[in-house]
Amino acid sequence: MTFSLNSTGLPLQDLIFGASVYFPPLFKAVLVGFVIWLVTHRLLRDWMYSGEIWHPMLMDLSLFVLSVCLGLAVLTVW
């Protein structure tokens, strides 16, 4: 009896292939977006926390979401 890890058609192999196709681009976008958010948060921190525009926590969250979207766009175009 031999067991081969390279057998095709196994459900585990399909799961690993699916994870490698769908998960890393989203994870990469979150990482790139986090770096973008760190830079923009540092630049806009005083303005955001002054409360002129919006609630600071909502502004921070929306800035993070926009940064992740920008990170996804950068990864898609690049």
Side-chain angles (χ1 to χ4, degrees):
M1 176 186 229
T2 61
F3 181 73
S4 175
L5 293 176
N6 295 332
S7 298
T8 58
L10 290 176
L12 183 61
Q13 184 180 5
D14 292 340
L15 178 68
I16 291 171
F17 176 72
S20 68
V21 169
Y22 293 114
F23 181 68
L26 183 62
F27 188 66
K28 288 177 189 175
V30 171
L31 286 178
V32 172
F34 183 68
V35 171
I36 293 170
W37 177 80
L38 283 175
V39 172
T40 56
H41 178 76
R42 177 68 103 172
L43 294 173
L44 300 175
R45 182 175 46 195
D46 294 334
W47 176 67
M48 283 189 329
Y49 290 141
S50 70
E52 290 179 23
I53 300 294
W54 217 8
H55 191 276
M57 203 60 133
L58 292 174
M59 187 70 177
D60 213 12
L61 183 63
S62 64
L63 184 65
F64 180 72
V65 169
L66 289 172
S67 298
V68 170
C69 291
L70 182 64
L72 185 62
V74 165
L75 288 174
T76 303
V77 172
W78 190 23

